[in-house]
Structures are given as C-alpha cells and as structure tokens.
Amino acid sequence: MRSPGELKKEIEARLKGYLSRDRDGIRHELLNLFVKVKSLTIPQIYEKLQKQFSISYHSIASMVGIIASRIGILHVRRNAEGTNSIYELKDQYVDVVAKILGTT
C-alpha cells in the first residue's frame, strides 16, 4: 500500500498529464471551479462553463468522470432523489490541485 505522500505525488503526476492535454483551457477552468466551489453537479458545471466555452453537456460529464475515476480526486455522492450526482473535491487534494493550477 502506498503512503499518503506517494499517493499525492501520483495524483500530482496524473493531474499534470491531464492538464498538459488541455488546448483551450476547459480542463483548467473545470478544476478551478472545484477548488472554488468544492461541491457541484454536472448541470451546475455545464451552466458555468458554457458561458465561456463552446462545449456539450456530455463532454463535461465525460471530463468529470475521468477526473473522478482515473485521477481519483473527486468524491461522488448520489442525492436522495437519485437524479444528479454531486461531485466534491476531496479535502486532501485541494492544496495539490490549487498548486498545480497556479503553476500551469
């Protein structure tokens, strides 16, 4: 099992790789939203990002899914009605994400 320090370094490397493929700034802005707001649903994210970028609802859902599953920095909570899932940036990664966003 990896230590918390090793895990943070792994997450940092994954985030840097993910952001290195960000041509138009959408991924950067998406992560920035999570640092600022912490807890969001896909419709909320879509509403905010569509003002700045030409992007589809499904593209945003896909990006959030990748961040949650492959990078592993989001916690997914189902709401009581079972409609929209709530995605939250895990507390232990807020500083890592903020630092990387500041350097990229």
Side-chain angles (χ1 to χ4, degrees):
M1 186 145 164
R2 291 183 237 172
S3 72
E6 290 173 325
L7 197 54
K8 275 197 176 185
K9 287 200 185 309
E10 176 70 25
I11 295 291
E12 203 170 314
R14 290 179 192 171
L15 269 172
K16 285 179 181 175
Y18 182 72
L19 287 172
S20 72
R21 297 182 302 276
D22 187 16
R23 287 175 299 213
D24 41 20
I26 295 172
R27 294 175 182 188
H28 191 277
E29 191 57 37
L30 174 62
L31 287 169
N32 205 19
L33 274 175
F34 277 109
V35 169
K36 289 178 188 169
V37 182
K38 301 267 192 308
S39 179
L40 295 158
T41 63
I42 301 292
Q44 290 171 328
I45 296 167
Y46 177 69
E47 184 182 315
K48 292 177 191 294
L49 291 183
Q50 69 149 358
K51 294 174 187 171
Q52 294 176 288
F53 304 100
S54 174
I55 189 165
S56 72
Y57 183 90
H58 293 288
S59 296
I60 290 174
S62 176
M63 284 191 292
V64 171
I66 287 170
I67 294 169
S69 64
R70 292 195 181 151
I71 300 174
I73 59 172
L74 297 179
H75 175 70
V76 184
R77 222 172 4 114
R78 307 265 182 242
N79 67 359
E81 300 87 46
T83 51
N84 294 317
S85 296
I86 299 166
Y87 296 88
E88 298 174 332
L89 184 58
K90 293 179 183 177
D91 290 336
Q92 67 263 37
Y93 300 121
V94 173
D95 57 332
V96 174
V97 175
K99 183 179 100 178
I100 290 174
L101 289 176
T103 60
T104 57

Coordinates of all heavy atoms in Angstrom, one line a residue, residues 1-81:
M1 N 0.8 -1.2 0.0 CA 0.0 0.0 0.0 C 0.9 1.2 0.0 O 1.9 1.3 0.7 CB -0.9 0.0 1.2 CG -1.9 1.1 1.2 SD -3.4 0.5 2.0 CE -4.1 2.0 2.3
R2 N 0.4 2.2 -0.7 CA 1.2 3.5 -0.9 C 1.0 4.4 0.3 O -0.1 4.4 0.9 CB 0.8 4.2 -2.1 CG 1.3 3.5 -3.4 CD 0.9 4.4 -4.5 NE 0.1 3.5 -5.4 CZ -0.6 3.9 -6.5 NH1 -0.5 5.2 -6.8 NH2 -1.3 3.1 -7.2
S3 N 2.0 5.1 0.7 CA 1.9 6.1 1.7 C 1.2 7.3 1.2 O 1.1 7.5 0.0 CB 3.3 6.5 2.2 OG 3.9 7.3 1.3
P4 N 0.6 8.2 2.1 CA -0.1 9.4 1.7 C 0.8 10.3 0.8 O 0.3 10.9 -0.2 CB -0.5 10.1 3.0 CG -0.6 8.9 4.0 CD 0.5 8.0 3.5
G5 N 2.1 10.4 1.1 CA 3.0 11.2 0.3 C 3.2 10.7 -1.1 O 3.2 11.4 -2.1
E6 N 3.3 9.4 -1.2 CA 3.4 8.7 -2.5 C 2.2 8.9 -3.3 O 2.2 9.2 -4.5 CB 3.7 7.2 -2.4 CG 5.1 6.9 -1.8 CD 5.3 5.4 -1.6 OE1 4.3 4.8 -1.2 OE2 6.4 5.0 -1.8
L7 N 1.0 8.8 -2.7 CA -0.3 8.9 -3.3 C -0.4 10.4 -3.9 O -0.9 10.6 -5.0 CB -1.4 8.6 -2.4 CG -2.7 8.3 -3.0 CD1 -2.7 7.2 -4.1 CD2 -3.7 7.9 -1.9
K8 N 0.0 11.3 -3.1 CA -0.1 12.7 -3.5 C 0.7 13.0 -4.7 O 0.4 13.7 -5.6 CB 0.2 13.7 -2.4 CG -1.0 14.0 -1.5 CD -0.7 15.2 -0.7 CE -2.0 15.5 0.1 NZ -1.9 16.7 0.9
K9 N 1.9 12.4 -4.7 CA 2.8 12.6 -5.9 C 2.3 11.9 -7.1 O 2.4 12.5 -8.2 CB 4.2 12.0 -5.5 CG 5.0 12.8 -4.6 CD 6.5 12.5 -4.7 CE 7.3 13.1 -3.6 NZ 7.1 14.6 -3.5
E10 N 1.6 10.8 -7.0 CA 1.0 10.1 -8.1 C -0.2 10.9 -8.6 O -0.3 11.1 -9.8 CB 0.5 8.7 -7.6 CG -0.3 8.0 -8.7 CD 0.6 7.5 -9.8 OE1 1.8 7.3 -9.6 OE2 0.0 7.3 -10.9
I11 N -1.0 11.5 -7.7 CA -2.1 12.3 -8.1 C -1.6 13.6 -8.9 O -2.2 14.0 -9.9 CB -3.0 12.7 -6.9 CG1 -3.6 11.5 -6.3 CG2 -4.0 13.8 -7.2 CD1 -4.7 10.9 -7.0
E12 N -0.5 14.1 -8.3 CA 0.1 15.3 -8.9 C 0.5 15.0 -10.4 O 0.3 15.8 -11.3 CB 1.2 15.8 -8.1 CG 1.6 17.2 -8.3 CD 2.6 17.7 -7.2 OE1 2.4 17.4 -6.0 OE2 3.6 18.4 -7.6
A13 N 1.2 13.9 -10.6 CA 1.6 13.5 -11.9 C 0.5 13.3 -12.8 O 0.5 13.7 -14.0 CB 2.5 12.2 -11.8
R14 N -0.6 12.6 -12.4 CA -1.8 12.4 -13.2 C -2.4 13.7 -13.6 O -2.8 13.9 -14.7 CB -2.8 11.6 -12.4 CG -2.4 10.1 -12.2 CD -3.5 9.4 -11.5 NE -3.0 8.1 -11.0 CZ -3.7 7.4 -10.2 NH1 -4.9 7.8 -9.7 NH2 -3.2 6.2 -9.8
L15 N -2.5 14.7 -12.6 CA -3.1 16.0 -12.9 C -2.3 16.7 -13.9 O -2.9 17.4 -14.8 CB -3.2 16.8 -11.6 CG -4.5 16.7 -10.8 CD1 -4.4 17.4 -9.5 CD2 -5.7 17.2 -11.6
K16 N -1.0 16.7 -13.8 CA -0.1 17.4 -14.7 C -0.3 16.9 -16.1 O -0.4 17.6 -17.1 CB 1.3 17.4 -14.3 CG 1.6 18.3 -13.1 CD 3.1 18.2 -12.7 CE 3.3 19.1 -11.5 NZ 4.7 18.9 -11.0
G17 N -0.4 15.6 -16.2 CA -0.6 14.9 -17.5 C -1.9 15.3 -18.1 O -2.1 15.6 -19.3
Y18 N -3.0 15.3 -17.3 CA -4.3 15.6 -17.7 C -4.4 17.1 -18.2 O -4.9 17.4 -19.3 CB -5.3 15.4 -16.6 CG -6.7 15.7 -16.9 CD1 -7.4 14.8 -17.7 CD2 -7.4 16.8 -16.4 CE1 -8.8 15.1 -18.0 CE2 -8.7 17.1 -16.7 CZ -9.4 16.2 -17.5 OH -10.7 16.4 -17.8
L19 N -3.7 18.0 -17.5 CA -3.8 19.4 -17.9 C -2.8 19.7 -19.1 O -3.1 20.7 -19.8 CB -3.4 20.3 -16.7 CG -4.5 20.4 -15.6 CD1 -4.0 21.1 -14.4 CD2 -5.7 21.1 -16.1
S20 N -1.8 18.9 -19.3 CA -0.9 19.1 -20.4 C -1.6 18.9 -21.7 O -1.2 19.4 -22.8 CB 0.3 18.2 -20.3 OG -0.1 16.8 -20.6
R21 N -2.8 18.2 -21.7 CA -3.5 18.0 -23.0 C -4.7 19.0 -23.1 O -5.6 18.8 -23.9 CB -4.0 16.5 -23.0 CG -2.9 15.5 -23.0 CD -3.4 14.1 -23.1 NE -4.3 13.6 -22.0 CZ -3.9 13.2 -20.9 NH1 -2.6 13.1 -20.6 NH2 -4.7 12.8 -19.9
D22 N -4.7 20.0 -22.3 CA -5.8 21.0 -22.3 C -5.4 22.1 -23.3 O -4.7 23.0 -22.9 CB -5.9 21.5 -20.9 CG -7.1 22.5 -20.7 OD1 -8.0 22.5 -21.6 OD2 -7.2 23.2 -19.7
R23 N -6.0 22.0 -24.5 CA -5.6 23.0 -25.5 C -6.4 24.3 -25.3 O -5.8 25.4 -25.6 CB -6.0 22.4 -26.9 CG -5.0 21.4 -27.3 CD -5.5 20.8 -28.6 NE -6.8 20.3 -28.3 CZ -7.4 19.2 -28.9 NH1 -6.7 18.6 -29.8 NH2 -8.5 18.7 -28.6
D24 N -7.6 24.3 -24.9 CA -8.4 25.5 -24.8 C -8.7 26.0 -23.4 O -9.5 27.0 -23.3 CB -9.7 25.4 -25.7 CG -10.3 24.1 -25.5 OD1 -10.1 23.4 -24.5 OD2 -11.1 23.7 -26.4
G25 N -8.2 25.4 -22.4 CA -8.4 25.9 -21.0 C -9.6 25.4 -20.3 O -9.9 25.8 -19.2
I26 N -10.4 24.5 -20.9 CA -11.6 24.0 -20.3 C -11.3 23.1 -19.1 O -11.9 23.3 -18.0 CB -12.5 23.1 -21.3 CG1 -12.9 24.0 -22.4 CG2 -13.6 22.5 -20.6 CD1 -13.6 23.3 -23.6
R27 N -10.3 22.2 -19.2 CA -10.0 21.4 -18.0 C -9.5 22.2 -16.9 O -9.8 22.0 -15.7 CB -8.9 20.4 -18.5 CG -9.4 19.4 -19.5 CD -8.3 18.5 -20.0 NE -8.7 17.6 -21.0 CZ -8.0 16.6 -21.4 NH1 -6.8 16.4 -21.0 NH2 -8.5 15.8 -22.4
H28 N -8.7 23.2 -17.2 CA -8.1 24.1 -16.2 C -9.3 24.8 -15.5 O -9.3 24.9 -14.2 CB -7.2 25.1 -16.9 CG -6.4 25.9 -15.9 ND1 -6.9 27.1 -15.3 CD2 -5.1 25.8 -15.5 CE1 -5.9 27.6 -14.5 NE2 -4.9 26.8 -14.6
E29 N -10.2 25.3 -16.2 CA -11.4 26.0 -15.6 C -12.3 25.1 -14.8 O -12.8 25.5 -13.8 CB -12.2 26.7 -16.7 CG -13.2 27.7 -16.2 CD -12.6 28.8 -15.3 OE1 -11.5 29.3 -15.6 OE2 -13.3 29.2 -14.4
L30 N -12.4 23.9 -15.3 CA -13.2 22.9 -14.6 C -12.6 22.6 -13.2 O -13.3 22.6 -12.2 CB -13.4 21.6 -15.4 CG -14.0 20.4 -14.8 CD1 -15.5 20.8 -14.4 CD2 -14.0 19.2 -15.6
L31 N -11.3 22.4 -13.2 CA -10.7 22.1 -11.9 C -10.7 23.3 -11.0 O -10.9 23.2 -9.8 CB -9.2 21.6 -12.1 CG -9.1 20.2 -12.7 CD1 -7.7 19.9 -13.1 CD2 -9.5 19.2 -11.6
N32 N -10.6 24.5 -11.6 CA -10.7 25.7 -10.9 C -12.0 25.9 -10.2 O -12.1 26.4 -9.0 CB -10.4 26.9 -11.8 CG -9.8 28.1 -11.1 OD1 -9.3 28.0 -10.0 ND2 -10.0 29.3 -11.7
L33 N -13.1 25.5 -10.9 CA -14.4 25.5 -10.3 C -14.5 24.6 -9.0 O -15.1 25.0 -8.0 CB -15.5 25.0 -11.3 CG -16.1 26.0 -12.3 CD1 -17.0 25.2 -13.3 CD2 -16.8 27.0 -11.6
F34 N -13.9 23.5 -9.1 CA -13.9 22.6 -7.9 C -13.1 23.1 -6.8 O -13.5 22.9 -5.6 CB -13.4 21.2 -8.3 CG -14.5 20.3 -8.9 CD1 -14.5 20.0 -10.3 CD2 -15.5 19.8 -8.2 CE1 -15.4 19.2 -10.8 CE2 -16.5 19.1 -8.7 CZ -16.5 18.7 -10.0
V35 N -12.0 23.8 -7.1 CA -11.2 24.4 -6.0 C -12.1 25.5 -5.3 O -12.1 25.6 -4.1 CB -9.9 25.0 -6.5 CG1 -9.2 25.8 -5.5 CG2 -9.0 23.8 -7.0
K36 N -12.8 26.3 -6.1 CA -13.6 27.4 -5.6 C -14.8 27.0 -4.9 O -15.1 27.4 -3.8 CB -13.9 28.4 -6.7 CG -12.8 29.2 -7.2 CD -13.3 30.1 -8.4 CE -12.2 30.8 -9.1 NZ -12.6 31.4 -10.3
V37 N -15.6 26.1 -5.5 CA -16.9 25.7 -5.0 C -16.9 24.4 -4.2 O -17.7 24.3 -3.3 CB -17.9 25.7 -6.2 CG1 -19.3 25.4 -5.7 CG2 -17.9 27.0 -7.0
K38 N -16.0 23.5 -4.5 CA -15.9 22.2 -3.8 C -16.9 21.2 -4.2 O -16.6 20.0 -4.4 CB -15.9 22.4 -2.3 CG -14.8 23.2 -1.7 CD -13.6 22.5 -1.3 CE -12.6 23.2 -0.5 NZ -12.2 24.5 -1.0
S39 N -18.2 21.5 -4.3 CA -19.3 20.6 -4.5 C -20.2 21.0 -5.6 O -20.9 22.0 -5.5 CB -20.0 20.4 -3.2 OG -21.1 19.5 -3.3
L40 N -20.2 20.2 -6.7 CA -21.0 20.6 -7.9 C -21.7 19.4 -8.5 O -21.2 18.3 -8.4 CB -20.1 21.2 -8.9 CG -19.4 22.6 -8.6 CD1 -18.2 22.8 -9.4 CD2 -20.4 23.7 -8.8
T41 N -22.8 19.7 -9.3 CA -23.4 18.7 -10.1 C -23.0 19.0 -11.6 O -22.6 20.1 -11.9 CB -24.9 18.7 -10.0 OG1 -25.4 20.0 -10.5 CG2 -25.4 18.5 -8.5
I42 N -23.2 18.0 -12.5 CA -22.9 18.2 -13.9 C -23.7 19.4 -14.5 O -23.1 20.2 -15.1 CB -23.2 16.9 -14.7 CG1 -22.3 15.8 -14.2 CG2 -22.9 17.1 -16.2 CD1 -20.8 15.9 -14.4
P43 N -25.0 19.5 -14.2 CA -25.8 20.7 -14.7 C -25.2 22.0 -14.2 O -25.2 23.0 -15.0 CB -27.2 20.5 -14.2 CG -27.3 19.0 -14.0 CD -26.0 18.5 -13.6
Q44 N -24.8 22.1 -13.0 CA -24.2 23.3 -12.5 C -22.9 23.6 -13.2 O -22.6 24.8 -13.6 CB -23.9 23.2 -11.0 CG -25.1 23.2 -10.1 CD -24.8 22.8 -8.7 OE1 -23.9 22.1 -8.4 NE2 -25.6 23.4 -7.8
I45 N -22.1 22.6 -13.4 CA -20.8 22.8 -14.1 C -21.1 23.3 -15.6 O -20.4 24.2 -16.1 CB -19.9 21.5 -14.1 CG1 -19.6 21.2 -12.7 CG2 -18.7 21.7 -15.0 CD1 -19.0 19.8 -12.5
Y46 N -22.0 22.6 -16.2 CA -22.4 22.9 -17.6 C -22.8 24.4 -17.7 O -22.4 25.1 -18.6 CB -23.4 22.0 -18.1 CG -23.9 22.3 -19.5 CD1 -23.1 22.1 -20.6 CD2 -25.2 22.8 -19.8 CE1 -23.5 22.4 -21.9 CE2 -25.6 23.1 -21.0 CZ -24.8 22.9 -22.1 OH -25.2 23.3 -23.4
E47 N -23.7 24.8 -16.8 CA -24.2 26.2 -16.8 C -23.1 27.2 -16.7 O -23.1 28.2 -17.4 CB -25.1 26.3 -15.6 CG -25.8 27.7 -15.5 CD -26.7 27.8 -14.3 OE1 -27.4 26.8 -14.0 OE2 -26.6 28.8 -13.6
K48 N -22.1 26.9 -15.9 CA -20.9 27.8 -15.7 C -20.0 27.8 -16.9 O -19.5 28.9 -17.4 CB -20.2 27.6 -14.4 CG -21.0 27.9 -13.2 CD -20.3 27.5 -11.9 CE -21.1 27.5 -10.7 NZ -21.6 28.8 -10.3
L49 N -19.7 26.6 -17.4 CA -18.7 26.5 -18.5 C -19.2 26.9 -19.8 O -18.4 27.4 -20.7 CB -18.1 25.1 -18.5 CG -17.2 24.7 -17.3 CD1 -16.6 23.3 -17.5 CD2 -16.0 25.7 -17.1
Q50 N -20.5 26.7 -20.1 CA -21.0 27.0 -21.4 C -21.0 28.5 -21.7 O -21.0 28.9 -22.8 CB -22.4 26.4 -21.6 CG -23.4 27.1 -20.7 CD -24.8 27.1 -21.4 OE1 -25.0 26.7 -22.5 NE2 -25.8 27.7 -20.7
K51 N -20.9 29.3 -20.7 CA -20.8 30.8 -20.8 C -19.4 31.2 -21.4 O -19.3 32.2 -22.2 CB -21.0 31.5 -19.5 CG -22.4 31.4 -18.9 CD -22.4 32.0 -17.5 CE -23.8 31.6 -16.9 NZ -23.8 32.0 -15.5
Q52 N -18.4 30.4 -21.1 CA -17.0 30.7 -21.6 C -16.6 29.9 -22.8 O -15.8 30.3 -23.6 CB -16.0 30.5 -20.5 CG -16.2 31.4 -19.3 CD -15.2 31.0 -18.2 OE1 -15.4 29.9 -17.6 NE2 -14.2 31.7 -18.0
F53 N -17.1 28.7 -22.9 CA -16.6 27.7 -23.9 C -17.8 27.1 -24.7 O -18.9 27.0 -24.2 CB -15.9 26.6 -23.3 CG -14.7 27.0 -22.4 CD1 -14.9 27.0 -21.0 CD2 -13.5 27.4 -22.9 CE1 -13.8 27.4 -20.2 CE2 -12.5 27.8 -22.1 CZ -12.6 27.8 -20.7
S54 N -17.5 26.7 -25.9 CA -18.5 26.0 -26.7 C -18.3 24.5 -26.4 O -17.4 23.9 -27.0 CB -18.3 26.3 -28.2 OG -19.1 25.5 -29.0
I55 N -19.1 24.0 -25.5 CA -18.9 22.6 -25.1 C -20.2 21.9 -24.8 O -21.2 22.6 -24.4 CB -18.0 22.6 -23.8 CG1 -17.6 21.2 -23.5 CG2 -18.7 23.3 -22.7 CD1 -16.5 21.1 -22.5
S56 N -20.3 20.6 -25.0 CA -21.6 19.9 -24.8 C -21.7 19.4 -23.4 O -20.7 19.3 -22.7 CB -21.7 18.7 -25.8 OG -20.8 17.7 -25.4
Y57 N -22.9 19.1 -23.0 CA -23.2 18.6 -21.7 C -22.5 17.3 -21.5 O -21.9 17.0 -20.4 CB -24.7 18.4 -21.5 CG -25.2 17.9 -20.2 CD1 -25.5 18.8 -19.2 CD2 -25.3 16.6 -19.9 CE1 -25.9 18.4 -18.0 CE2 -25.7 16.1 -18.7 CZ -26.1 17.0 -17.7 OH -26.5 16.6 -16.5
H58 N -22.5 16.4 -22.5 CA -21.8 15.1 -22.4 C -20.3 15.2 -22.3 O -19.7 14.4 -21.7 CB -22.3 14.3 -23.6 CG -23.7 13.9 -23.6 ND1 -24.3 13.0 -22.7 CD2 -24.7 14.4 -24.3 CE1 -25.6 12.9 -22.9 NE2 -25.9 13.8 -23.8
S59 N -19.7 16.2 -22.9 CA -18.3 16.4 -22.8 C -17.9 16.7 -21.4 O -16.9 16.2 -20.9 CB -17.8 17.5 -23.7 OG -18.0 17.2 -25.1
I60 N -18.7 17.6 -20.8 CA -18.4 17.9 -19.4 C -18.6 16.7 -18.5 O -17.8 16.5 -17.6 CB -19.3 19.1 -18.9 CG1 -18.9 20.4 -19.7 CG2 -19.3 19.3 -17.4 CD1 -19.8 21.6 -19.4
A61 N -19.7 16.0 -18.7 CA -19.9 14.7 -17.9 C -18.7 13.8 -18.0 O -18.3 13.2 -17.1 CB -21.2 14.1 -18.3
S62 N -18.2 13.7 -19.3 CA -17.1 12.8 -19.5 C -15.8 13.3 -18.8 O -15.1 12.5 -18.2 CB -16.8 12.7 -21.0 OG -15.7 12.0 -21.3
M63 N -15.5 14.6 -18.8 CA -14.4 15.1 -18.2 C -14.5 14.9 -16.6 O -13.5 14.5 -16.0 CB -14.2 16.6 -18.4 CG -13.7 16.9 -19.8 SD -13.2 18.6 -20.0 CE -14.8 19.5 -19.9
V64 N -15.6 15.1 -16.1 CA -15.8 14.9 -14.6 C -15.6 13.5 -14.3 O -15.0 13.1 -13.3 CB -17.2 15.5 -14.2 CG1 -17.5 15.1 -12.7 CG2 -17.2 17.0 -14.3
G65 N -16.1 12.6 -15.1 CA -16.0 11.1 -14.9 C -14.5 10.7 -14.9 O -14.1 9.9 -14.1
I66 N -13.8 11.3 -15.8 CA -12.3 10.9 -15.9 C -11.6 11.5 -14.6 O -10.8 10.8 -14.1 CB -11.7 11.5 -17.2 CG1 -12.2 10.7 -18.4 CG2 -10.2 11.5 -17.1 CD1 -11.8 11.3 -19.7
I67 N -11.9 12.7 -14.2 CA -11.3 13.2 -13.0 C -11.6 12.4 -11.8 O -10.8 12.1 -11.0 CB -11.7 14.7 -12.9 CG1 -11.2 15.6 -14.0 CG2 -11.2 15.2 -11.5 CD1 -11.7 17.0 -14.1
A68 N -12.9 12.0 -11.7 CA -13.3 11.2 -10.6 C -12.7 9.8 -10.6 O -12.2 9.3 -9.5 CB -14.8 11.1 -10.5
S69 N -12.7 9.1 -11.7 CA -12.3 7.7 -11.7 C -10.8 7.5 -12.0 O -10.1 6.8 -11.2 CB -13.0 6.9 -12.8 OG -12.8 7.4 -14.1
R70 N -10.2 8.2 -13.0 CA -8.8 7.9 -13.3 C -7.8 8.7 -12.5 O -6.8 8.2 -12.1 CB -8.5 8.2 -14.8 CG -9.2 7.2 -15.7 CD -8.7 7.3 -17.1 NE -9.4 6.4 -17.9 CZ -9.5 6.5 -19.2 NH1 -9.1 7.6 -19.8 NH2 -10.1 5.6 -19.9
I71 N -8.2 10.0 -12.2 CA -7.3 10.8 -11.4 C -7.6 10.6 -9.9 O -6.7 10.5 -9.1 CB -7.4 12.3 -11.8 CG1 -7.0 12.5 -13.2 CG2 -6.5 13.2 -10.9 CD1 -7.3 13.9 -13.8
G72 N -8.8 10.4 -9.6 CA -9.2 10.0 -8.2 C -9.3 11.1 -7.2 O -9.1 10.9 -6.0
I73 N -9.6 12.3 -7.6 CA -9.6 13.4 -6.6 C -11.0 13.9 -6.3 O -11.2 14.8 -5.5 CB -8.8 14.7 -7.2 CG1 -9.3 15.2 -8.5 CG2 -7.3 14.3 -7.2 CD1 -8.7 16.5 -8.9
L74 N -12.0 13.3 -6.9 CA -13.4 13.6 -6.6 C -14.1 12.5 -5.9 O -13.9 11.4 -6.2 CB -14.1 13.9 -7.9 CG -13.7 15.1 -8.8 CD1 -14.5 15.2 -10.0 CD2 -13.6 16.4 -8.0
H75 N -15.0 13.0 -5.0 CA -15.9 12.0 -4.3 C -17.2 12.2 -4.9 O -17.7 13.3 -5.1 CB -15.9 12.4 -2.8 CG -16.9 11.6 -2.0 ND1 -16.7 10.3 -1.7 CD2 -18.1 11.9 -1.4 CE1 -17.7 9.8 -1.0 NE2 -18.6 10.8 -0.9
V76 N -17.9 11.1 -5.2 CA -19.2 11.1 -5.9 C -20.3 10.7 -4.8 O -20.2 9.7 -4.2 CB -19.3 10.1 -7.1 CG1 -20.6 10.3 -7.8 CG2 -18.1 10.4 -8.0
R77 N -21.3 11.6 -4.7 CA -22.4 11.4 -3.8 C -23.7 11.4 -4.6 O -23.9 12.3 -5.4 CB -22.4 12.5 -2.7 CG -22.6 12.0 -1.4 CD -22.5 13.1 -0.3 NE -22.2 14.5 -0.7 CZ -23.0 15.5 -0.6 NH1 -24.2 15.4 0.0 NH2 -22.7 16.7 -1.0
R78 N -24.5 10.4 -4.4 CA -25.8 10.4 -5.0 C -26.8 11.2 -4.2 O -26.7 11.0 -3.0 CB -26.3 9.0 -5.2 CG -25.3 8.0 -5.8 CD -25.6 7.9 -7.3 NE -24.7 6.9 -7.9 CZ -23.8 7.2 -8.8 NH1 -23.8 8.5 -9.3 NH2 -23.0 6.3 -9.3
N79 N -27.6 12.0 -4.8 CA -28.6 12.7 -4.0 C -29.8 11.8 -3.7 O -29.9 10.8 -4.3 CB -29.0 14.1 -4.6 CG -29.7 13.9 -5.9 OD1 -30.0 12.8 -6.4 ND2 -30.1 15.0 -6.5
A80 N -30.6 12.3 -2.8 CA -31.7 11.4 -2.3 C -32.7 11.1 -3.4 O -33.2 9.9 -3.5 CB -32.5 12.2 -1.2
E81 N -33.0 12.0 -4.4 CA -33.9 11.7 -5.4 C -33.3 10.8 -6.5 O -34.1 10.3 -7.3 CB -34.4 13.0 -6.1 CG -35.1 14.0 -5.2 CD -34.1 14.9 -4.5 OE1 -33.2 15.4 -5.2 OE2 -34.2 15.1 -3.3

